[in-house]
Amino acid sequence: ASAPAAASERVLLDVVFRGDASAERIQTALRGLGAEVVAGPSPLGRYRIALAPGTDASAAAAGLSAEGTGVASFAEPLRP
């Protein structure tokens, strides 16, 4: 078993933003999570998003990709 991640480590998500999500909506969603884009887009349109330490990655991913209100068509925590 590996050691648990330190609380100070940033949590990362892989995200594909929806084509109809405006840059303003995306920025608002990221600010609300204390998140920032740290890489991307990849050739497949994926971005790497860093969340504030201690953020629940699964909840953040669910919020970003929520049907009707989310700005992402795909959002998944990166597993170490």
Side-chain angles (χ1 to χ4, degrees):
S2 61
S8 63
E9 289 182 16
R10 298 188 88 182
V11 179
L12 299 174
L13 300 178
D14 265 345
V15 176
V16 176
F17 294 111
R18 292 172 36 154
D20 63 348
S22 69
E24 182 180 349
R25 279 188 62 214
I26 291 168
Q27 287 301 319
T28 299
L30 294 179
R31 271 196 306 273
L33 293 171
E36 66 180 336
V37 175
V38 294
S42 74
L44 297 176
R46 286 189 183 194
Y47 290 81
R48 177 114 346 130
I49 307 297
L51 302 173
T55 301
D56 181 332
S58 295
L64 287 172
S65 61
E67 190 171 338
T69 59
V71 295
S73 58
F74 173 88
E76 186 173 286
L78 278 179
R79 302 291 177 210

